[in-house]
């Protein structure tokens, strides 16, 4: 799903604007890392079934080192969003939102119990807030920049 959505965004932007803005590259990488975070959390809900039927997943690949991997993906994701914001001349609402988004990922990864399906589902669903926080920062920054 994500590859079908993210790839056309780059092509659509380039087609509409006429060039590939360099700030899209770190944002694209951030999106990939964010996807790895929430997809891995989701995969931990049914890893026993994956083993039975032979499905390979990041939950099985990362196993007991999942939190370490998710922490790394979180750092890359936030760093990419930060770099994209700087390159795109975002204003303070974006960076304030990025601070809250970082706190959300720290909470999510720090408190994740990969052996508890209910907790994994709770953390997976909470990812909608990460996306809304980032979007709110972008919109808030656009409003401030219009003043």
């Amino acid at each position: 799903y994500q590859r079908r959505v993210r790839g056309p965004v780059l092509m659509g932007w380039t087609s509409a604007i006429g060039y590939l803005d360099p700030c899209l590259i770190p944002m694209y990488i951030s999106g990939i890392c964010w996807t790895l975070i929430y997809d891995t959390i989701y995969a931990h809900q049914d890893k026993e079934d994956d083993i039975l039927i032979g499905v390979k997943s990041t939950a099985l690949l990362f196993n007991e080192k999942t939190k370490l991997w998710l922490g790394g993906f979180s750092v890359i994701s936030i760093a990419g969003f930060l770099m994209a914001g700087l390159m795109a001349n975002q204003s303070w609402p974006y960076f304030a939102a990025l601070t809250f988004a970082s706190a959300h990922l720290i909470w999510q990864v720090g408190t994740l119990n990969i052996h508890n399906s209910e907790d994994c589902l709770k953390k997976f669903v909470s990812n909608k807030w990460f996306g809304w926080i980032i979007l709110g920062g972008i919109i808030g920054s656009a409003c401030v920049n219009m003043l």
Side-chain angles (χ1 to χ4, degrees):
Y1 169 76
Q2 291 300 323
R3 282 179 271 168
R4 290 190 310 249
V5 172
R6 220 170 267 117
V9 167
L10 293 177
M11 291 184 290
W13 177 275
T14 304
S15 177
I17 303 301
Y19 64 95
L20 179 61
D21 193 317
C23 76
L24 293 176
I25 302 303
M27 188 165 275
Y28 186 81
I29 292 168
S30 292
I32 291 169
C33 288
W34 179 34
T35 301
L36 284 165
I37 294 165
Y38 69 73
D39 190 60
T40 300
I41 292 170
Y42 187 83
H44 270 286
Q45 293 180 95
D46 57 5
K47 60 188 168 194
E48 290 81 16
D49 295 332
D50 291 351
I51 293 169
L52 286 175
I53 61 174
V55 171
K56 296 184 182 356
S57 71
T58 52
L60 297 177
L61 178 65
F62 302 154
N63 201 8
E64 292 300 320
K65 294 184 180 178
T66 291
K67 289 176 113 175
L68 180 66
W69 280 97
L70 296 183
F73 292 136
S74 296
V75 168
I76 294 168
S77 183
I78 294 300
F81 281 122
L82 176 63
M83 187 182 302
L86 292 169
M87 293 170 73
N89 296 315
Q90 293 290 316
S91 57
W92 69 266
Y94 177 80
F95 299 105
L98 197 54
T99 301
F100 287 109
S102 299
H104 178 79
L105 286 180
I106 290 168
W107 163 79
Q108 188 178 72
V109 174
T111 62
L112 176 65
N113 180 350
I114 61 170
H115 303 294
N116 182 321
S117 294
E118 289 179 23
D119 186 59
C120 291
L121 179 61
K122 176 182 171 186
K123 300 301 179 354
F124 169 76
V125 170
S126 78
N127 271 283
K128 67 183 172 201
W129 297 114
F130 181 83
W132 282 112
I133 293 167
I134 297 290
L135 178 61
I138 293 169
I139 293 169
S141 182
C143 291
V144 167
N145 289 344
M146 285 192 287
L147 297 177

